[in-house]
Each structure stands twice: as structure tokens, then as C-alpha cells.
């Protein structure tokens, strides 16, 4: 599993919006400047976030984007699964993958299933609020 630029940028965008006034709409230009992300790429990622209902938008002079929910109600897992599609550690575990003919005799399958479960559990346990507060990392 390797998180793509799209997934990493989506987390950065969501964190950027979480740092702003919750009632205000933030222009994409301001986010692009702060995060050093091209407008074209930023627009594509925000479109995905908007279609999924993670952010809301408003047009016009005071328009832009803002989070729909408080930062503690978004998980890193939710954002990464949306942008990455799959975080499976091996191809045979990706959603929609063809059934492996060796699954019934594969001695490594339990390892991959447990790794996938732990990755998902961890990412679902980390919120934007945790990241903003620095509550992630070594204890």
C-alpha cells in the first residue's frame, strides 16, 4: 500500500479547511497558496470531496469551501478511502479483485487480512481534530 499524492493532498486540504473559521467559506486560491498545490489538481480533489459530501461550497464573492462537519467527525480513513479507493496491502485483497485461485491454500492470506484490518482500524481511529492537536504519533 502506498498513499498517492491525491490522498496526501486531500488530507492537507481537509486540515487546511479545519484550521479556518468554521462559518466562513475559504477560496480555493487561498488553500492552493497555503498548501502549494496547483489549482487544477486542487479543483479535482475538492470536487471529489464535495461530491462525497465532505465539504460544502458557495458561489460568489464570499464563496468558497468549508467542512460540513466538525473536524472530530472526519477520519483519515474516510478521506483516504474516498481518494485512494483501496488501501489493501496486496492486490488480491482490493475491492473487486478477481478471486485468487490459491486463497484456500494461501499461508500468507491471514497475515494480509490482519494487516489490512489494522491499517483500516488505525486510519479510522485518527480524526482531523487529532491531527490538528498533534495527538498522533509516538506516545
Amino acid at each position: 500500500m502506498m498513499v498517492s499524492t491525491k490522498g496526501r493532498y486531500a488530507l492537507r486540504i481537509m486540515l487546511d479547511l479545519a484550521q479556518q473559521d468554521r462559518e466562513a467559506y475559504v477560496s480555493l486560491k487561498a488553500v492552493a497558496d497555503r498548501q502549494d498545490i496547483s489549482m487544477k489538481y486542487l479543483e479535482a480533489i475538492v470536487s471529489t470531496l464535495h461530491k462525497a459530501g465532505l465539504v460544502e461550497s458557495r458561489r460568489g464573492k464570499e464563496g468558497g469551501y468549508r467542512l460540513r462537519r466538525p473536524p472530530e467527525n472526519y477520519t483519515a480513513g474516510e478521506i483516504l478511502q474516498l481518494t485512494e479507493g483501496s488501501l489493501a496491502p496486496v492486490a488480491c485483497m482490493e475491492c473487486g479483485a478477481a478471486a485468487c485461485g490459491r486463497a484456500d491454500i494461501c499461508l500468507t492470506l491471514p497475515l494480509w487480512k490482519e494487516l489490512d484490518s489494522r491499517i483500516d482500524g488505525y486510519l479510522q481511529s485518527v480524526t482531523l481534530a487529532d491531527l490538528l492537536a498533534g495527538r498522533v504519533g509516538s506516545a
Side-chain angles (χ1 to χ4, degrees):
M1 171 199 76
M2 180 172 284
V3 177
S4 71
T5 303
K6 184 177 182 181
R8 293 192 322 269
Y9 284 5
L11 275 173
R12 285 174 42 195
I13 293 163
M14 294 293 285
L15 286 165
D16 188 290
L17 293 175
Q19 290 176 306
Q20 310 310 314
D21 176 359
R22 285 220 11 143
E23 301 303 315
Y25 288 86
V26 180
S27 76
L28 289 185
K29 172 83 170 95
V31 176
D33 290 345
R34 281 192 298 271
Q35 296 301 320
D36 194 26
I37 300 172
S38 78
M39 277 297 289
K40 186 174 181 177
Y41 202 24
L42 180 66
E43 287 169 347
I45 295 169
V46 169
S47 175
T48 300
L49 297 170
H50 185 258
K51 286 177 186 172
L54 273 63
V55 298
E56 60 186 2
S57 66
R58 183 165 70 183
R59 295 183 185 271
K61 185 179 177 206
E62 299 295 318
Y65 290 85
R66 69 180 183 187
L67 298 182
R68 282 191 177 267
R69 309 185 305 250
E72 57 270 13
N73 292 345
Y74 292 92
T75 68
E78 170 185 25
I79 297 162
L80 290 173
Q81 284 179 337
L82 173 66
T83 55
E84 297 296 315
S86 173
L87 297 173
V90 290
C92 65
M93 292 192 59
E94 289 183 358
C95 186
C100 177
R102 298 185 43 85
D104 58 336
I105 60 168
C106 181
L107 297 176
T108 61
L109 187 57
L111 169 79
W112 303 130
K113 284 184 176 182
E114 181 65 19
L115 179 59
D116 186 50
S117 175
R118 288 184 186 211
I119 290 169
D120 184 59
Y122 176 69
L123 292 174
Q124 293 301 337
S125 76
V126 177
T127 68
L128 291 181
D130 292 331
L131 291 166
L132 290 171
R135 292 188 299 254
V136 179
S138 59

